[in-house]
Amino acid sequence: MRKLWINGQEVDGSEGTQVAIDPATEEIIAEYAWGGTAEADQAVAVAKAAFDGWRRTPAGTRAEMLHEIARRMRQEQESLAVDLTRETGRALRKNRGYVEWSAQCFDYYAELGRHSRGRVIPSPEASQLSLVLKVPLGVVAAIVPWNYPLLLLVWKLAPALAAGNTVVIKPATYTSWVTLGFARLFDHLPPGVVNIVAGSGRLVGDHLVRHPDVRMVAFTGSTEVGQHIMRMAADDMKHIHLELGGKDPLIICADSDLEAACRAAVWGGFLNAGQVCTSVERVYVERVVFRDVLDRVKALAEGLVVGPGMDPRSEVTPMIRPEERDKVHQQVISAQQSGALIVTGGRKPASQPRGYFYEPTVLTGVSEDMLVMREETFGPVLPVIAVDDFDEALRRSNQSQYGLGATLFTNDARKVKQYMEQIEAGNVWVNDPIVDNLAGPFGGMKRSGIGRELGEEGFEEFLETKHVHWEIEPGIKPWWYPWE
Ligand code: NAD
């Protein structure tokens, strides 16, 4: 049984135990400890106690410890990937890639941390020295969702540690077992620097966010919980970093490579069964090529292999839980009842009687007021919409409360320029959706979040700025009292 990880030790949970479930088979995989507020308090206390030692550890030594995490990830790539597939349902081959990518993220931030520096700035007088220092914040609570339990954790953990902070991790309920298993990657770090407390969001998550000794909350998850966290964090003026939901549009212009655009749309819509924050959720197509695009998308969707992540042939893997599938199905049915057409899919696949699978689903005839066009759809559903021209597609792309990612397919440089300037999204892709770059800041506008992960921006989030004004030749200044 996997236990909580606090102060470099395995700890039982005061709330008993929970079981991990394989979404492909509906079977129980394992049992793990379930914590509560007592363990959250304990973890924050040890993280606070470890902070001073960790921030004073020379950056080069910290960097070597982070590289060691990357080495361990590579060494354990297969077992980590298998664990991830068992608890998330995701394709094993993708998980192998995510483990390697997570290792690269630690290597990247190890070096960024080693080379981090402040500035010496011009002083008002010659006898003074003005320094801009970058200092760590203290204890960071990292609250993570279930769809990428390793990768999205690493995007927080690697920069937070490289910057000199200590961390308490709160995994998502559905993926706590796999996350508790990551403790073995961190057991060479000083005790208390990394802690993992599995527990419910409302109990442990809330408690961490409200805890006075937590200085920053780095959160990825739904917009609803993000808003709740922002409100809670206001009392202590905590730093917050919020990566939230999306409703990403993809525009296909008539001048683009249509086969590439259709394949990209289908991949972007159905990857990880659509349970990706930046999955493609609206496809706007110029009317002159609409019929052609819809036929291609339908054929591609119907050709996808739906199956368990452990089977190397599977292209669309299960959803995480039946209730998540029901939510998505409700959106599809509600759209249909309001006049949308289900081009393909819209039900559980007959080929998979067990597991939480949902057929890759293509919709058309949707309107902007339907739930499936307004709210995030965290499942394999792709609405395809005809528009008169690029300007209409761009306008409708921006008609959303979200602004996470957006993609344009075109070969027209003028359209690309207009798109870059006017699209309301933090991640903008041209002819190649959902690519992330360790050096490139990732995050959302509008209700998709605040702050950026990855790149130098993702490191800065975990630092605070201090301006030091130092008079080197102490004496009485003429502007002090008494005034002459
Ligand atoms: P969620 O918001 O339900 O949960 C996320 C985390 O918050 C979990 O660890 C959960 O236990 C915790 N939590 C829940 N209630 C809490 C509370 N009251 N206080 C503190 N913590 C609490 O999200 P989810 O269902 O795990 O993940 C899916 C969502 O995440 C989708 O909306 C998706 O778009 C979003 N997401 C965003 C990004 C991004 O980078 N923008 C990436 C992946 C997922």
Side-chain angles (χ1 to χ4, degrees):
M1 191 182 75
R2 291 186 181 169
K3 298 195 175 185
L4 313 182
W5 178 256
I6 300 174
N7 211 22
Q9 287 175 346
E10 293 189 347
V11 174
D12 286 324
S14 58
E15 298 287 315
T17 59
Q18 288 276 328
V19 289
I21 293 169
D22 181 341
T25 62
E26 306 181 25
E27 282 163 7
I28 292 174
I29 312 166
E31 209 181 346
Y32 58 88
W34 195 235
T37 52
E39 291 77 24
D41 282 339
Q42 216 183 323
V44 173
V46 299
K48 189 181 177 194
F51 174 57
D52 202 44
W54 184 243
R55 77 165 156 182
R56 286 162 179 268
T57 302
T61 310
R62 276 205 306 259
E64 283 316 311
M65 291 193 206
L66 299 195
H67 282 308
E68 173 60 19
I69 297 175
R71 272 191 290 277
R72 290 175 178 209
M73 282 182 171
R74 293 192 172 101
Q75 219 165 28
E76 302 213 24
Q77 184 180 30
E78 191 63 17
S79 69
L80 288 167
V82 167
D83 277 5
L84 282 164
T85 295
R86 292 183 73 200
E87 203 176 23
T88 65
R90 171 90 39 85
L92 180 59
R93 64 159 121 169
K94 298 303 280 180
N95 280 330
R96 289 190 187 109
Y98 294 130
V99 175
E100 167 54 30
W101 199 22
S102 300
Q104 286 177 20
C105 189
F106 268 101
D107 285 336
Y108 174 80
Y109 280 112
E111 290 308 306
L112 212 58
R114 195 201 296 269
H115 295 105
S116 164
R117 51 188 183 268
R119 301 195 314 276
V120 180
I121 57 171
S123 298
E125 292 181 43
S127 60
Q128 299 159 348
L129 194 58
S130 284
L131 307 169
V132 178
L133 304 184
K134 296 284 177 175
V135 297
L137 292 147
V139 179
V140 173
I143 304 180
V144 188
W146 48 263
N147 62 337
Y148 288 88
L150 177 62
L151 200 70
L152 295 175
L153 167 62
V154 165
W155 288 8
K156 298 166 184 37
L157 189 60
L161 294 178
N165 302 280
T166 55
V167 181
V168 178
I169 299 165
K170 212 302 279 170
T173 307
Y174 300 154
T175 48
S176 291
W177 174 74
V178 68
T179 309
L180 291 171
F182 302 155
R184 64 190 191 271
L185 304 170
F186 313 125
D187 64 9
H188 60 296
L189 301 178
V193 169
V194 174
N195 308 277
I196 312 173
V197 182
S200 97
R202 280 182 196 285
L203 198 64
V204 173
D206 249 70
H207 197 69
L208 287 173
V209 176
R210 291 183 196 276
H211 200 296
D213 290 334
V214 168
R215 284 309 311 146
M216 173 171 182
V217 181
F219 171 83
T220 302
S222 60
T223 296
E224 194 187 6
V225 175
Q227 288 166 329
H228 175 62
I229 286 178
M230 195 166 174
R231 287 186 198 108
M232 285 193 289
D235 285 347
D236 284 331
M237 282 299 162
K238 287 187 168 73
H239 286 240
I240 48 169
H241 174 108
L242 304 172
E243 294 285 351
L244 311 176
K247 189 80 205 162
D248 290 10
L250 181 146
I251 297 175
I252 301 180
C253 293
D255 68 78
S256 62
D257 176 341
L258 288 189
E259 185 57 18
C262 291
R263 282 175 189 253
V266 166
W267 176 75
F270 301 138
L271 174 71
N272 191 23
Q275 301 167 117
V276 183
C277 53
T278 48
S279 64
V280 175
E281 298 196 16
R282 297 176 285 156
V283 182
Y284 294 107
V285 186
E286 284 194 286
R287 204 174 299 282
V288 282
V289 291
F290 176 72
R291 184 42 59 188
D292 185 1
V293 164
L294 191 62
D295 290 346
R296 288 181 201 233
V297 167
K298 176 176 188 284
L300 287 166
E302 288 175 349
L304 292 172
V305 179
V306 179
M310 294 302 282
D311 183 339
R313 290 165 302 180
S314 302
E315 292 169 315
V316 179
T317 47
M319 296 187 62
I320 193 80
R321 285 292 183 276
E323 47 275 30
E324 301 294 332
R325 178 177 58 187
D326 291 347
K327 242 188 263 172
V328 167
H329 187 57
Q330 275 316 311
Q331 284 191 0
V332 171
I333 295 306
S334 146
Q336 187 186 35
Q337 284 166 351
S338 307
L341 177 72
I342 300 177
V343 178
T344 187
R347 51 185 180 197
K348 298 179 203 173
S351 63
Q352 301 293 335
R354 287 180 74 77
Y356 313 131
F357 294 91
Y358 195 69
E359 280 186 354
T361 299
V362 179
L363 301 177
T364 195
V366 293
S367 54
E368 299 291 344
D369 58 343
M370 293 177 182
L371 277 186
V372 79
M373 291 293 284
R374 281 191 291 120
E375 293 193 354
E376 183 174 43
T377 310
F378 225 52
V381 178
L382 201 59
V384 185
I385 305 117
V387 290
D388 289 341
D389 53 22
F390 168 69
D391 285 329
E392 183 188 348
L394 179 54
R395 185 174 49 75
R396 289 175 69 171
S397 291
N398 283 339
Q399 256 176 21
S400 170
Q401 57 182 333
Y402 296 106
L404 189 56
T407 303
L408 172 65
F409 267 83
T410 186
N411 284 314
D412 182 339
R414 280 167 304 187
K415 287 183 186 147
V416 175
K417 182 168 182 296
Q418 185 184 348
Y419 191 69
M420 284 195 290
E421 288 168 359
Q422 295 179 8
I423 189 72
E424 294 165 5
N427 311 296
V428 181
W429 295 293
V430 181
N431 298 328
D432 188 9
I434 329 187
V435 274
D436 296 327
N437 173 351
L438 288 175
F442 175 96
M445 294 181 179
K446 301 196 275 190
R447 290 197 183 188
S448 291
I450 294 177
R452 293 292 179 269
E453 295 194 303
L454 298 181
E456 291 178 34
E457 286 85 349
F459 182 63
E460 288 284 322
E461 295 272 337
F462 294 94
L463 290 166
E464 203 146 26
T465 303
K466 261 187 199 168
H467 175 202
V468 179
H469 177 97
W470 178 9
E471 172 57 71
I472 295 165
E473 295 171 20
I476 296 167
K477 298 291 178 190
W479 54 86
W480 296 351
Y481 295 126
W483 286 347
E484 306 264 304

